[in-house]
PDB file of all heavy atoms in Angstrom:
ATOM      1  N   GLU A  42      88.425  89.492  82.223  1.00 94.00           N
ATOM      2  CA  GLU A  42      87.224  88.699  82.504  1.00 94.00           C
ATOM      3  C   GLU A  42      87.313  88.165  83.935  1.00 94.00           C
ATOM      4  O   GLU A  42      88.334  87.606  84.334  1.00 94.00           O
ATOM      5  CB  GLU A  42      87.127  87.522  81.532  1.00 94.00           C
ATOM      6  CG  GLU A  42      85.933  86.623  81.791  1.00 94.00           C
ATOM      7  CD  GLU A  42      85.922  85.386  80.908  1.00 94.00           C
ATOM      8  OE1 GLU A  42      86.888  85.195  80.141  1.00 94.00           O
ATOM      9  OE2 GLU A  42      84.943  84.611  81.000  1.00 94.00           O
ATOM     10  N   VAL A  43      86.247  88.358  84.697  1.00 95.00           N
ATOM     11  CA  VAL A  43      86.190  87.795  86.042  1.00 95.00           C
ATOM     12  C   VAL A  43      85.726  86.346  85.901  1.00 95.00           C
ATOM     13  O   VAL A  43      84.579  86.079  85.548  1.00 95.00           O
ATOM     14  CB  VAL A  43      85.221  88.576  86.952  1.00 95.00           C
ATOM     15  CG1 VAL A  43      85.121  87.899  88.315  1.00 95.00           C
ATOM     16  CG2 VAL A  43      85.689  90.023  87.119  1.00 95.00           C
ATOM     17  N   VAL A  44      86.630  85.421  86.153  1.00 95.00           N
ATOM     18  CA  VAL A  44      86.323  84.002  85.943  1.00 95.00           C
ATOM     19  C   VAL A  44      85.934  83.284  87.225  1.00 95.00           C
ATOM     20  O   VAL A  44      85.428  82.155  87.185  1.00 95.00           O
ATOM     21  CB  VAL A  44      87.515  83.277  85.298  1.00 95.00           C
ATOM     22  CG1 VAL A  44      87.797  83.846  83.913  1.00 95.00           C
ATOM     23  CG2 VAL A  44      88.758  83.377  86.182  1.00 95.00           C
ATOM     24  N   ALA A  45      86.175  83.931  88.382  1.00 94.00           N
ATOM     25  CA  ALA A  45      85.840  83.273  89.646  1.00 94.00           C
ATOM     26  C   ALA A  45      85.788  84.286  90.777  1.00 94.00           C
ATOM     27  O   ALA A  45      86.362  85.371  90.690  1.00 94.00           O
ATOM     28  CB  ALA A  45      86.875  82.193  89.973  1.00 94.00           C
ATOM     29  N   GLU A  46      85.072  83.910  91.835  1.00 95.00           N
ATOM     30  CA  GLU A  46      84.989  84.718  93.045  1.00 95.00           C
ATOM     31  C   GLU A  46      85.047  83.797  94.255  1.00 95.00           C
ATOM     32  O   GLU A  46      84.721  82.612  94.163  1.00 95.00           O
ATOM     33  CB  GLU A  46      83.691  85.525  93.078  1.00 95.00           C
ATOM     34  CG  GLU A  46      83.551  86.556  91.977  1.00 95.00           C
ATOM     35  CD  GLU A  46      82.287  87.396  92.121  1.00 95.00           C
ATOM     36  OE1 GLU A  46      81.829  87.560  93.276  1.00 95.00           O
ATOM     37  OE2 GLU A  46      81.749  87.869  91.105  1.00 95.00           O
ATOM     38  N   ALA A  47      85.480  84.363  95.390  1.00 93.00           N
ATOM     39  CA  ALA A  47      85.504  83.602  96.630  1.00 93.00           C
ATOM     40  C   ALA A  47      85.306  84.558  97.791  1.00 93.00           C
ATOM     41  O   ALA A  47      85.693  85.727  97.721  1.00 93.00           O
ATOM     42  CB  ALA A  47      86.831  82.857  96.776  1.00 93.00           C
ATOM     43  N   GLY A  48      84.691  84.053  98.851  1.00 92.00           N
ATOM     44  CA  GLY A  48      84.396  84.893 100.005  1.00 92.00           C
ATOM     45  C   GLY A  48      85.354  84.714 101.161  1.00 92.00           C
ATOM     46  O   GLY A  48      85.246  85.410 102.175  1.00 92.00           O
ATOM     47  N   ASP A  49      86.304  83.783 101.040  1.00 92.00           N
ATOM     48  CA  ASP A  49      87.303  83.581 102.084  1.00 92.00           C
ATOM     49  C   ASP A  49      88.498  82.854 101.477  1.00 92.00           C
ATOM     50  O   ASP A  49      88.455  82.374 100.343  1.00 92.00           O
ATOM     51  CB  ASP A  49      86.737  82.801 103.273  1.00 92.00           C
ATOM     52  CG  ASP A  49      86.223  81.424 102.875  1.00 92.00           C
ATOM     53  OD1 ASP A  49      87.058  80.570 102.502  1.00 92.00           O
ATOM     54  OD2 ASP A  49      85.004  81.196 102.937  1.00 92.00           O
ATOM     55  N   GLY A  50      89.577  82.760 102.251  1.00 91.00           N
ATOM     56  CA  GLY A  50      90.799  82.172 101.741  1.00 91.00           C
ATOM     57  C   GLY A  50      90.700  80.699 101.424  1.00 91.00           C
ATOM     58  O   GLY A  50      91.309  80.217 100.463  1.00 91.00           O
ATOM     59  N   VAL A  51      89.940  79.955 102.204  1.00 93.00           N
ATOM     60  CA  VAL A  51      89.787  78.516 101.967  1.00 93.00           C
ATOM     61  C   VAL A  51      89.113  78.280 100.623  1.00 93.00           C
ATOM     62  O   VAL A  51      89.566  77.465  99.807  1.00 93.00           O
ATOM     63  CB  VAL A  51      88.968  77.861 103.097  1.00 93.00           C
ATOM     64  CG1 VAL A  51      88.647  76.413 102.724  1.00 93.00           C
ATOM     65  CG2 VAL A  51      89.728  77.912 104.411  1.00 93.00           C
ATOM     66  N   GLU A  52      88.041  79.012 100.389  1.00 93.00           N
ATOM     67  CA  GLU A  52      87.330  78.887  99.131  1.00 93.00           C
ATOM     68  C   GLU A  52      88.221  79.322  97.961  1.00 93.00           C
ATOM     69  O   GLU A  52      88.219  78.698  96.890  1.00 93.00           O
ATOM     70  CB  GLU A  52      86.057  79.733  99.157  1.00 93.00           C
ATOM     71  CG  GLU A  52      85.192  79.590  97.904  1.00 93.00           C
ATOM     72  CD  GLU A  52      83.954  80.479  97.935  1.00 93.00           C
ATOM     73  OE1 GLU A  52      83.791  81.245  98.905  1.00 93.00           O
ATOM     74  OE2 GLU A  52      83.168  80.412  96.977  1.00 93.00           O
ATOM     75  N   ALA A  53      88.995  80.375  98.175  1.00 93.00           N
ATOM     76  CA  ALA A  53      89.882  80.875  97.125  1.00 93.00           C
ATOM     77  C   ALA A  53      90.883  79.806  96.699  1.00 93.00           C
ATOM     78  O   ALA A  53      91.124  79.603  95.503  1.00 93.00           O
ATOM     79  CB  ALA A  53      90.620  82.114  97.608  1.00 93.00           C
ATOM     80  N   LEU A  54      91.458  79.124  97.663  1.00 92.00           N
ATOM     81  CA  LEU A  54      92.438  78.091  97.365  1.00 92.00           C
ATOM     82  C   LEU A  54      91.802  76.949  96.586  1.00 92.00           C
ATOM     83  O   LEU A  54      92.386  76.427  95.630  1.00 92.00           O
ATOM     84  CB  LEU A  54      93.045  77.564  98.667  1.00 92.00           C
ATOM     85  CG  LEU A  54      94.292  76.681  98.561  1.00 92.00           C
ATOM     86  CD1 LEU A  54      95.409  77.422  97.845  1.00 92.00           C
ATOM     87  CD2 LEU A  54      94.744  76.240  99.940  1.00 92.00           C
ATOM     88  N   GLN A  55      90.589  76.572  96.967  1.00 92.00           N
ATOM     89  CA  GLN A  55      89.878  75.509  96.262  1.00 92.00           C
ATOM     90  C   GLN A  55      89.587  75.901  94.812  1.00 92.00           C
ATOM     91  O   GLN A  55      89.772  75.106  93.892  1.00 92.00           O
ATOM     92  CB  GLN A  55      88.577  75.177  96.996  1.00 92.00           C
ATOM     93  CG  GLN A  55      88.787  74.577  98.376  1.00 92.00           C
ATOM     94  CD  GLN A  55      87.490  74.450  99.166  1.00 92.00           C
ATOM     95  OE1 GLN A  55      86.491  75.103  98.849  1.00 92.00           O
ATOM     96  NE2 GLN A  55      87.504  73.617 100.194  1.00 92.00           N
ATOM     97  N   VAL A  56      89.148  77.139  94.632  1.00 93.00           N
ATOM     98  CA  VAL A  56      88.800  77.606  93.298  1.00 93.00           C
ATOM     99  C   VAL A  56      90.025  77.681  92.399  1.00 93.00           C
ATOM    100  O   VAL A  56      89.986  77.287  91.227  1.00 93.00           O
ATOM    101  CB  VAL A  56      88.108  78.982  93.365  1.00 93.00           C
ATOM    102  CG1 VAL A  56      87.899  79.543  91.956  1.00 93.00           C
ATOM    103  CG2 VAL A  56      86.768  78.868  94.078  1.00 93.00           C
ATOM    104  N   VAL A  57      91.129  78.190  92.928  1.00 93.00           N
ATOM    105  CA  VAL A  57      92.361  78.310  92.141  1.00 93.00           C
ATOM    106  C   VAL A  57      92.817  76.955  91.618  1.00 93.00           C
ATOM    107  O   VAL A  57      93.364  76.850  90.512  1.00 93.00           O
ATOM    108  CB  VAL A  57      93.478  78.964  92.995  1.00 93.00           C
ATOM    109  CG1 VAL A  57      94.843  78.704  92.388  1.00 93.00           C
ATOM    110  CG2 VAL A  57      93.247  80.460  93.095  1.00 93.00           C
ATOM    111  N   ARG A  58      92.588  75.923  92.393  1.00 91.00           N
ATOM    112  CA  ARG A  58      93.031  74.589  91.997  1.00 91.00           C
ATOM    113  C   ARG A  58      92.175  73.973  90.898  1.00 91.00           C
ATOM    114  O   ARG A  58      92.568  72.986  90.280  1.00 91.00           O
ATOM    115  CB  ARG A  58      93.030  73.666  93.224  1.00 91.00           C
ATOM    116  CG  ARG A  58      94.153  73.991  94.204  1.00 91.00           C
ATOM    117  CD  ARG A  58      94.011  73.232  95.505  1.00 91.00           C
ATOM    118  NE  ARG A  58      95.158  73.464  96.387  1.00 91.00           N
ATOM    119  CZ  ARG A  58      95.203  73.114  97.667  1.00 91.00           C
ATOM    120  NH1 ARG A  58      94.143  72.515  98.231  1.00 91.00           N
ATOM    121  NH2 ARG A  58      96.278  73.348  98.391  1.00 91.00           N
ATOM    122  N   SER A  59      91.009  74.581  90.662  1.00 91.00           N
ATOM    123  CA  SER A  59      90.112  74.012  89.653  1.00 91.00           C
ATOM    124  C   SER A  59      89.766  74.987  88.530  1.00 91.00           C
ATOM    125  O   SER A  59      89.025  74.632  87.616  1.00 91.00           O
ATOM    126  CB  SER A  59      88.814  73.544  90.326  1.00 91.00           C
ATOM    127  OG  SER A  59      88.145  74.632  90.951  1.00 91.00           O
TER     128      SER A  59
END
Side-chain angles (χ1 to χ4, degrees):
E42 178 186 4
V43 176
V44 297
E46 296 184 28
D49 59 68
V51 172
E52 184 182 3
L54 192 58
Q55 294 171 341
V56 173
V57 162
R58 288 171 175 168
S59 61

